[in-house]
Structure formats: C-alpha cells, structure tokens
Amino acid sequence: MTGQNTWQERGDDYDYHQEVANAGFGDMLHDWERNQKYDAAIRKTIAGMRRAGKEVHVLDIGTGTGILAMMALRAGADTVTACEAFLPMANCAARILAANDADHVRLIRKRSTDIVVGVDMPHRANLLVAELLDTELIGEGAIGIYNHAHEELLTDDALCIPARATCYAQVAQSPMASQWNSLKILPDLDGDILLRPPTQLMQCSGEAALHDVQLSQLPPHSFHVLSEPAQIFHFDFQRKQPLELARENVVRIQLSRPGSVELVFYWWQIELDDAGEQLLSCAPYWAHPELEQLKATCTDKQRPLANIVPWRDHWMQAIYYIPKPLHLHDAGEEFWLRCYHDEYSLWFDAHKEQPEKPAQRHSCSCDLHMTYTRNRIGQLNQSIRNKRYLAYLEQAVKAKPAHVLVMGDGCLLGLASAALGAASVHCLEPHRFSRRLLKSVVEHNQLKNVKFLDSLKQLDRKELDTITHIFAEPYFLNSILPWDNFYFGTLLMQLEQLHEKLPANAEISPCAARIFALPVEFLDLHKIRAPIVSCEGFDLRLFDDMVQRSAEQALSQVEAQPLWEYPCRALAQPQQLLSVDFANFGVEQSNHGSIKLTAEGNCNGIALWVDWQLSPNENLKSIVSSGPLEPVETGEYVKWDMFVRQGVHFINQTTAEQQYLNWSTTFRPLLGELNFNFSPSANREKCE
C-alpha cells in the first residue's frame, strides 16, 4: 500500500512457519476420494502380492504426514520405507508415525533421488506408493523421480501405486475465457473503436504455460466444447523402461460443432491399481466418468451439479491457449491437435493440415503476457467495467481543455482519455515492460500529447498546475489483495509532498473506496485451512497442531482467492467496514460493528472486496466493484467478478447460538497497515 520495500522484524523461525503454513498438505488430506481409493488400491495390491507368495517391501516417496506409509503397514507390508525431503514435514511425520503405532516405518529425511540402497535402505522395494502429481501431472518432476526409482530403488517386478495415468484434451471456444489471453479492441460508449491493440499484440502467440482453473465452475453459457475428450498421453509408472522426458503427439480431432479452436481444456486420470479398478479422475463434471454414480451417492440434494464431483484444489484442471485460433465452419470437420510435453509441462497447437515437423514451445513477444497476470488481462477486456470508467472520462474531457495525470500500471483507460479528446495526458509508468507496451499502444493509435513519467519527480510544478484530472483504475503490478491498490492514495500524498499541494481544481478519480464484508458458507474452500483430525482411521492431530502454530505465525489475516471458482452462499447482506476519501487519504481510522447472520448455514469465511467510487455523484454507474456481479441475495450463491481476486478471512464454523459476526478494522495509511478482526458471537457488539 505504501509502495516501499521495508524490513519487518520476524523471529528466526519465520521462514520455517511460512513454509509449513503454505505447504498445502491439508488440502490433499481433505480429498476423501483420493484417500479412500489410495487405501483400497494399497490393500488390494498387497493382498495380491501375498497370495502370490511374495514378501512386500514398500517405498513411499514424498510421504508428507506418512499417511500412505501407514496405509501400507496396516495392509500387511513386511517393511515400509518412507522419504520426505521437507524437514519440518519429515519431523512431523516421525511424530505422527509414533502416535499411530507405526514408528517402525523407516523414515529417510532426504529426496528419493539422493537415497542409496545399502546405505539409506537395506534393499530395493517391490511396491512404490507415491503422490507426486500436480495439475499438469508432471509438474513436480514425476518423470525423473519415477525413472530414478526404477533404476536405483525398485526391483524389476515392482508394482506402483498409481500404476498408470492418462491425459485428456478437449478443444473449446469461449469469448469469455479468451479475454484472459489477448487484448481486445476498446470501444467507446457508442461502440465505435477507441483503441486498437498494436500489431505485435495481434501477432503474439501468447504464453504456453497452463492457466489452472476449476473448469467445473465456468458458467455453462460462457463456453462451447467443440469435440469429445481425446486421450493425448499415457504414462505407465510401472514400466521398467524409462519414461520419455519429452514427447509430441499429433491427434486427429473431429469437430462436434462449428467454431473457433481457441482453447484446450486439460485434465488427467489415474489407475491406482494394476487392474485399473480404482480409477481417480480429475475431469470437470461434464466429462467425469463417474458423474452418475456420484450423483446417486451424494447426500446433499441441494448441491449444484458442478460440485457433485469431488472437490480438490491440489489437482485442478487447466486451460491452454492455442497460439493462433483455428476457425472451422462445419460440424464433422477434422483438424490436427499438436500436443507436447517436456519433463515438467505441456503445450498445444492446432492446424488444419497435418504438420510435417515439430514446432518450438511458443512464448510472449508483445510484453502483455510477460507483464500482466491472466486476471489483469481479462480485466482490461471487461466490458461493463470499462464502460463505467469511460463514462466518467468522456464526461471529464468535455470540460475543455482537460489535462489528465494517470497513475497506475498498464492503465489503458487512462490512455483512452487522449483518444476521447484530452488536451494532454501524463502517464506514470515506472515499470519498463508495462511502459513499453503502453507506448506501443500510443504509437499504433497515433495518440497526441501523451507523456510518460518514470516517477512523480519528473512532473514539474508548472505541468502540475495545468492538471485538471488525476485518474487511476486503479491497478498496480505488486497488488495482491483488492485494497493493495490503495497505493493510489499513497501516490497522491507523495505528489502533495513534492509540490506542497495538489492543483486546487484537480478532480480525483476514483474519489473514494469502500471495503465490504460478506459472511458466507463455502461449499469447499474452507477445507484448505480446516483441521484434518483423522484420515482413513489415522490420527493426524499432531499435523493440525503444527500447521495451526505456523499459520498463526506466518499467514496474513486475509488471503486472496478467485471466489468465482469456489461457490459460497451468502449468510447476510454485505456490510461496509471502511470508507476511504482519496483527497484525505492520510487519515487514520478505527471502526467496529456487527453483522447479523440471517440465513441458515455454518459461517466458515468472510469475503471482502473494494468498491471504487469514480465521481462524487453516488449512483450505481459511478461504482466499479471487485466483488459480486449481481445484488447479493441472502441464502443464495454469490456470483463473483471473474477477473479479480477477492479477500477471504477463514473462521471456524459458527454454531447455531452464534447469530452475529462482530468485526473491527484499523487503518493506518502512512504505515500501509489495514487490519481486520472477526469473531462469531451470540450477541451483537455494542457500538460506541
């Protein structure tokens, strides 16, 4: 919020606590399907090896809490060796193993690739149990780890759990999702072209990297799938021959409907046991192989269809963007989908004719993708948001002559004031790549009287005195939470300090900002911070205690989450916690109050966001919100802005007696501090 790098005093063990609190083990342990199917596969595999007259020697790579090692021991393994390179987790695993009478599991505190048979473990293992997978399947180095294990740590006849994996791709078209990947034409309020993207943006292939999302939460009307899911890669983890580090597979795809091949939806599924009976799929709900079975067994009949499939945040789905969309006009038409993977990642391309030679991994050549996040790119294309800013700017520049000072990173709407007729525009753009991109927009659109500033010190008093409007979206590259963009207020104070005062008649937009809070019941998101207690019969309270201690030391009160991906029901109406006047930004505030929970449900989180007020006229069209897209209805699911992350404060679930959520905030703008406190209560807090 202050824009300054400052030292903050922490204890010597702060880094340790931060790593533990953010390790993400808890999310995996709440994945009931993962846990049950791993346990079933381990039981079945060990029983089968026993019937075949074999001893069972298990190696668990990346044991975490030791849960898979304990499953193997309980299923009758003769010996179990577990390795964990993350020392805080390894030390916790040792205590968990002891607490569950499994302390004769051999625990090795190092990477599997550093293990030496005969030194660290007495002999090779003939059963490998591991969870080395991520959203891309191979992003955590699974290929290299499995290759090393087969070469150095496993017997020739060793079995693996999981045994195999299959990767799937489904091509799709989505004008909404494509907003995350390319800069669109910016129209004015009449629909005429105001700013065109420069040539290098139109020719850029974009970034090959995945965009990991909860695909099931995409609004059904926002995309069309253009083909059936296709198998693109198969990984046999039990195969003794080394897994290939890089492969290309060119797949012939038939269109199920005409459209533009813009996106690839990607997911994978694993066969946990050798016979493939224990299948675990990460498919979105519409392609999930067990959807009907899951619907039949779901006890919550009010649960949305998109959330019938097991929830997980450690394995999601991904969107990959085709470098140059392929436009096809007839259902049944065929094209070629080029699929690639290296040791850690995947990428895709599409062609009408079968390609003759491999292509290189594509990358950004236009500054847009390498400078801004997917959310920010989408935000730049967001029609309703842009119209509200343009309505303000169009009105502002009518007062001739208008001289605009723009403060923000990548503020295309600020440049639009030049296209609308502002006499001059000064853009504060301290970041080199962002500045280079905006300069290309200026040149391509032949905008006049635009000057870029590296710092406010470059604006002299004479120039400042001509300024009639100080404008921001606001957006800054280092912002994480919505109110981090209050840095706009810090810049206003810096400008005032440099020149003793702001121009007397300069209009500031946004003129104010308000932070709102909404008590909610998350369907699933709260699990990333909820205690495990027990998992498949094993006591994991020691793990809960360790994570809780570290979370108290290292986690912020509020974390940023894209709430459109994580459904929640509103338990009350939103309440304003803080209002900031940017003309008087330096004023400290301390507020408190209570929110009555008026809908049934367990309050397990508070959603927070910022509304920006563009002009003193308080009407809905002068407000740009980073929160709900529609008015909140108590008891109903909230529809969130898809191009920004909201703030979330997690709390322990409320009880029936706790009808109020008491809150307090303290705001110290000169220190860049904004603190929240929330406490469920049976009584309303008395406001003084």
Side-chain angles (χ1 to χ4, degrees), residues 61-82:
I61 293 179
T63 194
T65 59
I67 189 75
L68 300 184
M70 291 189 291
M71 288 177 179
L73 197 65
R74 183 173 64 183
D78 293 284
T79 65
V80 180
T81 300

Side-chain angles (χ1 to χ4, degrees), residues 11-242:
D12 292 341
D13 55 0
Y14 175 73
D15 286 347
Y16 155 80
H17 289 301
Q18 193 172 48
E19 285 196 63
V20 169
N22 291 293
F25 291 103
D27 172 34
M28 293 186 289
L29 294 166
H30 278 296
D31 185 347
W32 60 267
E33 184 190 33
R34 167 193 177 273
N35 301 332
Q36 290 177 10
K37 290 188 173 181
Y38 259 97
D39 192 34
I42 289 170
R43 290 176 183 271
K44 177 189 172 187
T45 302
I46 290 178
M49 294 172 73
R50 285 284 188 209
R51 286 194 299 271
K54 295 182 179 180
E55 291 187 353
V56 181
H57 301 288
V58 175
L59 173 62
D60 175 10
I61 293 179
T63 194
T65 59
I67 189 75
L68 300 184
M70 291 189 291
M71 288 177 179
L73 197 65
R74 183 173 64 183
D78 293 284
T79 65
V80 180
T81 300
C83 71
E84 175 59 56
F86 183 36
L87 292 180
M89 197 68 248
N91 294 334
C92 182
R95 296 193 297 273
I96 291 171
L97 292 170
N100 287 275
D101 298 321
D103 49 351
H104 47 294
V105 169
R106 180 189 295 269
L107 181 62
I108 303 172
R109 292 169 169 83
K110 58 171 65 172
R111 296 179 183 275
S112 66
T113 50
D114 294 331
I115 291 176
V116 178
V117 172
V119 177
D120 299 301
M121 53 190 288
H123 46 71
R124 289 176 178 250
N126 61 353
L127 175 59
L128 173 62
V129 297
E131 200 279 82
L132 306 169
L133 313 177
D134 70 346
T135 293
E136 286 195 283
L137 186 80
I138 57 175
E140 293 183 4
I143 293 176
I145 293 170
Y146 274 107
N147 284 346
H148 176 270
H150 277 294
E151 186 174 347
E152 302 291 343
L153 307 176
L154 302 177
T155 60
D156 288 345
D157 62 346
L159 298 176
C160 295
I161 299 174
R164 287 170 291 277
T166 304
C167 301
Y168 290 86
Q170 185 173 32
V171 296
Q173 177 179 7
S174 173
M176 189 277 295
S178 68
Q179 291 180 211
W180 281 312
N181 189 55
S182 59
L183 192 62
K184 311 300 182 185
I185 288 172
L186 179 67
D188 64 16
L189 297 178
D190 295 323
D192 296 325
I193 294 173
L194 194 62
L195 292 179
R196 294 180 183 273
T199 305
Q200 71 264 30
L201 267 73
M202 305 303 290
Q203 295 175 345
C204 180
S205 298
E207 281 295 334
L210 85 162
H211 181 189
D212 53 336
V213 295
Q214 301 280 1
L215 276 183
S216 290
Q217 301 309 316
L218 283 175
H221 61 80
S222 70
F223 69 95
H224 298 298
V225 293
L226 303 181
S227 72
E228 294 299 315
Q231 296 185 18
I232 56 170
F233 291 116
H234 186 72
F235 293 86
D236 186 347
F237 298 129
Q238 294 187 147
R239 190 178 63 174
K240 191 66 179 173
Q241 293 81 10

Side-chain angles (χ1 to χ4, degrees), residues 533-571:
V533 184
S534 68
C535 179
E536 297 304 306
F538 297 106
D539 185 349
L540 295 183
R541 287 175 293 179
L542 286 167
F543 169 75
D544 291 336
D545 293 344
M546 179 186 75
V547 172
Q548 182 60 35
R549 286 195 303 272
S550 291
E552 291 170 357
Q553 296 280 339
L555 288 183
S556 61
Q557 296 172 305
V558 179
E559 58 186 75
Q561 294 286 352
L563 289 186
W564 71 270
E565 297 186 56
Y566 304 106
C568 61
R569 293 172 53 250
L571 300 182

Side-chain angles (χ1 to χ4, degrees), residues 5-16:
N5 292 321
T6 57
W7 290 103
Q8 190 170 32
E9 188 171 337
R10 298 287 192 181
D12 292 341
D13 55 0
Y14 175 73
D15 286 347
Y16 155 80

Side-chain angles (χ1 to χ4, degrees), residues 135-136 210-217 264-268 281-286 288 309-310 312-320 565:
T135 293
E136 286 195 283
L210 85 162
H211 181 189
D212 53 336
V213 295
Q214 301 280 1
L215 276 183
S216 290
Q217 301 309 316
V264 171
F265 292 159
Y266 167 84
W267 64 88
W268 50 260
S281 174
C282 290
Y285 75 92
W286 67 79
H288 201 285
V309 300
R312 51 183 64 100
D313 210 41
H314 53 285
W315 299 331
M316 298 169 66
Q317 301 85 35
I319 297 174
Y320 294 87
E565 297 186 56

Side-chain angles (χ1 to χ4, degrees), residues 28 76 200 240 272 383 416 470 538 603 613 633 662 680:
M28 293 186 289
Q200 71 264 30
K240 191 66 179 173
L272 285 156
S383 175
I470 302 175
F538 297 106
C603 180
Q613 184 180 334
E633 293 186 32
N662 296 324

Side-chain angles (χ1 to χ4, degrees), residues 390 419 562 684:
L390 289 172
R684 181 190 296 272

